[in-house]
């Protein structure tokens, strides 16, 4: 953090972004959705106010999307192939770091486009799809990363089949998507927040049941 803030202070924005991407391949996304739990306890607050490290990260990430960035060094192909199940932030990050180390990667996901919860579970006003798509595109620009959408584990393939196809390792990144219910009677008959967002963002939400009716929303995190 000290390093990329130092680069920003000098106006070396691409160097700052390059340093951030040594640990984080999706800084423009994180810069928009991170709850910033660390900032309120920043020791700088003992003097004046916390350092806005998240906004600084977002600034240089957006600068990189607009003006380009310093490409990270990629090691030569090592002859190893890795299958990743799940194209959410975990699977994409895994593909990024494996590719830097010289692995050839194939990502499988049941959805037609990569992104997982980032694409289908977060509203567009909070995370614009063009920003998400550009950051994902930068990962695939590293080369030798293949995406196979519409492929569901257990329906279209299994682990044994992946190994038989010549993959040396499999990384399972299916996510932990699970709603937390309140315990109220009959609540599971309601439409959960994540289910609503997934259906809405995929254009599959049937709004007819809501028409001419009163709707109660419990919670307002988004």
């Amino acid at each position: 953090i000290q390093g990329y803030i130092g680069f920003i202070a000098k106006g070396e924005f691409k160097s700052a972004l390059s340093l951030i991407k040594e640990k984080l391949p999706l800084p423009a996304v994180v810069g928009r959705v991170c709850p910033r739990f660390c900032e309120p306890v920043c020791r700088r607050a003992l003097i004046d106010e916390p350092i806005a490290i998240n906004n600084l990260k977002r600034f240089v990430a957006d600068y990189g999307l607009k003006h380009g960035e310093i490409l990270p060094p990629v090691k030569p192909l090592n002859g190893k192939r890795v299958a990743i199940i799940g194209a959410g932030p975990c699977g994409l990050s895994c593909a990024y770091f494996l590719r830097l180390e010289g692995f050839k990667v194939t990502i499988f996901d049941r959805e037609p486009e990569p992104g997982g919860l980032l694409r289908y579970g977060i509203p567009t006003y909070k995370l614009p799809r063009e920003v998400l798509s550009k950051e994902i595109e930068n990962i695939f620009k590293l080369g030798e990363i293949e995406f196979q959408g519409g492929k569901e584990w257990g329906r279209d393939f299994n682990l044994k089949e992946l190994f038989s196809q010549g993959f040396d390792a499999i990384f399972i990144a299916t996510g932990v998507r699970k709603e937390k219910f309140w315990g109220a009677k009959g609540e599971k008959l309601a439409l959960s927040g994540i289910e609503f967002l997934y259906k809405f963002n995929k254009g599959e939400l049937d709004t007819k049941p809501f028409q001419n009716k009163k709707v109660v929303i419990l919670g307002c995190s988004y």
Side-chain angles (χ1 to χ4, degrees):
I1 292 173
Q2 288 176 320
Y4 77 72
I5 290 176
F7 278 128
I8 293 172
K10 296 176 184 178
E12 299 178 20
F13 304 139
K14 290 187 178 182
S15 295
L17 179 58
S18 180
L19 183 59
I20 290 170
K21 284 204 166 185
E22 290 183 5
K23 299 291 185 181
L24 177 65
L26 298 166
V29 170
V30 173
R32 286 168 168 80
V33 303
C34 180
R36 307 188 301 277
F37 293 129
C38 61
E39 288 188 17
V41 292
C42 173
R43 290 181 59 81
R44 181 69 194 183
L46 298 174
I47 302 173
D48 42 39
E49 60 184 4
I51 298 173
I53 60 173
N54 193 64
N55 283 339
L56 290 170
K57 185 186 287 106
R58 173 175 170 173
F59 164 71
V60 293
D62 287 353
Y63 181 90
L65 293 179
K66 184 176 181 179
H67 302 283
E69 57 185 77
I70 301 172
L71 296 178
V74 180
K75 294 181 180 179
L77 289 172
N78 57 23
K80 300 291 185 180
R81 297 173 62 211
V82 178
I84 298 175
I85 305 175
C90 180
L92 291 170
S93 297
C94 180
Y96 175 83
F97 290 113
L98 284 174
R99 185 65 198 95
L100 295 184
E101 293 298 319
F103 291 87
K104 190 173 183 179
V105 180
T106 301
I107 309 175
F108 300 88
D109 197 276
R110 66 181 181 184
E111 303 296 349
E113 296 184 80
L117 192 67
L118 300 176
R119 183 178 298 278
Y120 298 104
I122 297 179
T124 55
Y125 76 85
K126 192 174 184 68
L127 178 58
R129 293 300 174 262
E130 60 271 20
V131 172
L132 174 63
S133 295
K134 285 180 180 178
E135 279 220 302
I136 294 175
E137 182 183 341
N138 284 340
I139 293 176
F140 283 91
K141 281 182 179 178
L142 296 175
E144 302 296 343
I145 301 177
E146 179 188 2
F147 173 70
Q148 293 192 23
K151 298 295 181 78
E152 185 172 346
W153 179 19
R155 183 192 67 188
D156 303 299
F157 64 88
N158 57 43
L159 301 184
K160 184 177 180 180
E161 290 171 343
L162 291 180
F163 280 122
S164 69
Q165 293 174 22
F167 288 103
D168 298 283
I170 300 170
F171 184 80
I172 300 173
T174 52
V176 290
R177 175 187 161 189
K178 186 177 181 180
E179 292 84 356
K180 182 178 181 180
F181 292 97
W182 293 24
K185 184 178 180 180
E187 67 180 349
K188 291 188 178 181
L189 298 175
L191 187 65
S192 71
I194 292 181
E195 184 182 0
F196 173 89
L197 288 168
Y198 257 74
K199 288 185 176 180
F200 180 83
N201 287 321
K202 292 171 66 177
E204 299 176 352
L205 184 66
D206 181 11
T207 59
K208 291 181 180 179
F210 304 111
Q211 293 178 4
N212 300 319
K213 293 184 178 180
K214 292 182 178 179
V215 177
V216 175
I217 300 174
L218 302 179
C220 60
S221 60
Y222 286 131

